[in-house]
Amino acid sequence: MERYWNPEIECMPHEDMIMLQNERLVAQVKHVYENVPYYRDLMDKKGVTPTDIQSIDDLHKLPFLTKNDLREAYPYGLLAKPLADCVRIQSTSGTTGKRVVAFYTRHDIDLWEDCCARAITAAGGTNEDVCQVAYGYGLFTGGPGLNGGSHKVGCLTLPMSSGNTERQIQFMRDLNATILCCTPSYAAYIGETLHDMGLTPDDISLKAGIFGAEPWTEEMRREIEKSLGIKAYDIYGLTETSGPGVAFECSAQTGMHINEDHFIAEIIDPNTGEVLPEGAKGELVFTSITKEAFPLLRYRTRDICVLTREKCSCGRTLVKMCKPMGRSDDMLIIRGVNVFPSQIETVLIEQGYAPNYLIEVDRVNNSDTLDISVELSAEQFSDTVKDIQRAEKELAGAMKTMLGINPKIHLVSPKTIARSEGKAVRVIDKRKLH
Ligand code: DLL
């Protein structure tokens, strides 16, 4: 059962892929222009019409879309199909009222799951496998995406969601799970827990892991591979482009193949928007050429990356992206949750604090920590430990509501957070992720 190893597409000569992309792009631009007034306005402002786009060589003429556009158009402004044709939404985790909401028709879900099925197949998955999906389920795309891909491949699927680690290990052992899908930090934590339970990789049947949704290093890959006795594969995607499965790693483990029959990738200079040549480092931009309900054209991911078309030992001709090397905005990914410093500042101001704060992110035993030091004003300052502790707890609760994760709050005395003479340094990220 090798339906999702599709050499016709995955090993297609590059010239044929360009022809396929040209055809799909022309149809997609027309679909968007006719059905999405928000994007039509952007095109009109730039003086571009669908007839100007005849091939991917014309792609640069189209306007970019950013997360800000998504917020502005929230919730329905970028929808290209009637709501009656949509059957699902997914959304980014832990953001404010105006989170990113992506819509799917049945066909969109089908294609998204195909992409995830390709990733599982590239990691050696077949219908003989037992696939434990320990990404979060719900609005987050990780659980539903890999769950769907696993079904398509025909694996016995364990829809565990994340958390309850000892139970994860028990199921893993009882049902002989062979593939684990979760964030790399959770995989590392499962490895540690296995060890703490007095077990070794010989006590489980895992052979492969499909890990993504956050940055992780080669060192972390080796550590996870050792602690679980597996081969660990990277997978990339974002809610805006459906979710996981935009790109996936093959046995070469040297970057992720982009599903170019569904997404056209470009690298641009994040400051000027100019398209950069192959091999240059810049911001990754995607155009989805097969999505019906939420087809974003030239979406700026903010992920900094390099693309390469060097021949891959696996035989695939799909372009490869390196592990994301950072971001061109200030978004942090903490325990798999996307966090913007501006959200933290909003909570502080809402709760009556001045915006004198310092955010410190670290990774201790493979798990992210978030510490926020907040300066009290002279009036807020209290000598009683109990008062301070109560205020810290309240603020942590408000942060949890906004961010979706629990930070450790440190209320500090007035005038103790260093003032800056230039741009304020509000974030210290001690994790060495890139
Ligand atoms: O994280 C989708 C996903 C789920 C990908 C499960 C892989 C596995 P968002 O929550 O919208 O979607 O976050 C998207 O996460 O722009 C990157 O900055 C980051 N990211 C995703 N995959 C990787 C990866 C999902 N493999 C944002 N390596 C993206 C590094 C990644 N960063």
Side-chain angles (χ1 to χ4, degrees), residues 67 91-93 100 112 135 140-143 146 182-184 210-216 233-247 256 299 301-304 321-327 331 333 336-338 434:
K67 222 188 241 302
S91 177
T92 48
S93 42
V100 170
W112 174 29
Y135 284 111
F140 179 55
T141 54
L146 271 307
C182 62
T183 60
I210 301 174
F211 307 132
E214 61 181 4
W216 54 310
Y233 296 85
D234 205 348
I235 183 167
Y236 171 89
L238 51 161
T239 313
E240 296 89 319
T241 56
S242 285
V246 171
M256 294 174 270
Y299 182 69
T301 63
R302 302 286 173 191
D303 289 318
I304 300 296
M321 60 178 272
C322 68
K323 275 181 179 297
M325 301 156 95
R327 293 196 46 96
M331 186 179 95
I333 304 181
V337 176
N338 304 346
H434 302 292

Side-chain angles (χ1 to χ4, degrees), residues 192-218:
E192 260 172 52
T193 310
L194 188 77
H195 182 260
D196 293 347
M197 287 164 78
L199 300 169
T200 73
D202 290 340
D203 296 306
I204 54 173
S205 310
L206 285 186
K207 62 175 189 188
I210 301 174
F211 307 132
E214 61 181 4
W216 54 310
T217 56
E218 286 303 323

Side-chain angles (χ1 to χ4, degrees), residues 118-422:
R118 269 189 206 165
I120 294 172
T121 305
T126 70
N127 61 342
E128 305 284 334
D129 280 293
V130 178
C131 181
Q132 180 155 349
V133 183
Y135 284 111
Y137 279 66
L139 286 172
F140 179 55
T141 54
L146 271 307
N147 191 94
S150 170
H151 272 191
K152 285 210 161 184
V153 174
C155 304
L156 174 65
T157 309
L158 312 185
M160 300 294 293
S161 200
S162 54
N164 209 336
T165 310
E166 296 208 353
R167 193 184 62 181
Q168 299 268 3
I169 292 173
Q170 191 190 333
F171 263 92
M172 192 180 277
R173 299 186 72 205
D174 292 350
L175 293 152
N176 294 323
T178 50
I179 299 178
L180 174 66
C181 305
C182 62
T183 60
S185 38
Y186 194 47
Y189 184 62
I190 292 177
E192 260 172 52
T193 310
L194 188 77
H195 182 260
D196 293 347
M197 287 164 78
L199 300 169
T200 73
D202 290 340
D203 296 306
I204 54 173
S205 310
L206 285 186
K207 62 175 189 188
I210 301 174
F211 307 132
E214 61 181 4
W216 54 310
T217 56
E218 286 303 323
E219 291 71 43
M220 196 159 167
R221 187 203 305 261
R222 282 193 286 279
E223 205 175 299
I224 296 171
E225 289 190 331
K226 199 161 140 235
S227 70
L228 292 173
I230 59 171
K231 202 160 164 167
Y233 296 85
D234 205 348
I235 183 167
Y236 171 89
L238 51 161
T239 313
E240 296 89 319
T241 56
S242 285
V246 171
F248 60 94
E249 230 173 19
C250 61
S251 53
Q253 292 181 309
T254 50
M256 294 174 270
H257 290 285
I258 295 175
N259 281 313
E260 290 185 281
D261 50 334
H262 300 295
F263 303 98
I264 302 175
E266 297 172 276
I267 292 285
I268 62 158
D269 177 326
N271 299 314
T272 63
E274 182 202 347
V275 180
L276 300 178
E278 190 205 312
K281 181 172 159 184
E283 185 181 329
L284 196 49
V285 172
F286 284 114
T287 295
S288 49
I289 46 177
T290 49
K291 278 168 56 177
E292 295 180 335
F294 201 63
L296 303 186
L297 303 182
R298 298 199 90 202
Y299 182 69
R300 291 185 59 163
T301 63
R302 302 286 173 191
D303 289 318
I304 300 296
C305 204
V306 175
L307 298 180
T308 154
R309 287 203 180 271
E310 267 166 41
K311 202 165 182 294
C312 185
S313 58
C314 75
R316 285 177 184 80
T317 48
L318 299 174
V319 70
K320 274 203 296 201
M321 60 178 272
C322 68
K323 275 181 179 297
M325 301 156 95
R327 293 196 46 96
S328 68
D329 63 6
D330 55 356
M331 186 179 95
L332 298 158
I333 304 181
I334 304 171
R335 281 174 241 144
V337 176
N338 304 346
V339 174
F340 287 92
S342 57
Q343 294 175 287
I344 292 178
E345 194 166 308
T346 304
V347 178
L348 288 180
I349 292 166
E350 272 173 12
Q351 300 290 315
Y353 294 92
N356 292 321
Y357 60 94
L358 186 67
I359 300 167
E360 285 174 271
V361 190
D362 205 349
R363 189 163 276 183
V364 180
N365 296 330
N366 290 310
S367 177
D368 293 333
T369 57
L370 169 61
D371 286 72
I372 308 172
S373 302
V374 183
E375 199 178 274
L376 293 166
S377 64
E379 301 78 59
Q380 285 168 327
F381 187 68
S382 161
D383 279 337
T384 12
V385 176
K386 233 163 124 198
D387 284 349
I388 298 272
Q389 282 175 342
R390 185 166 20 90
E392 283 177 343
K393 214 169 143 201
E394 263 175 38
L395 189 52
M399 290 286 177
K400 163 96 199 206
T401 309
M402 169 71 102
L403 309 173
I405 54 169
N406 235 331
K408 190 151 182 22
I409 302 286
H410 310 270
L411 293 178
V412 299
S413 316
K415 307 256 179 283
T416 46
I417 289 187
R419 300 295 191 266
S420 135
E421 290 177 356

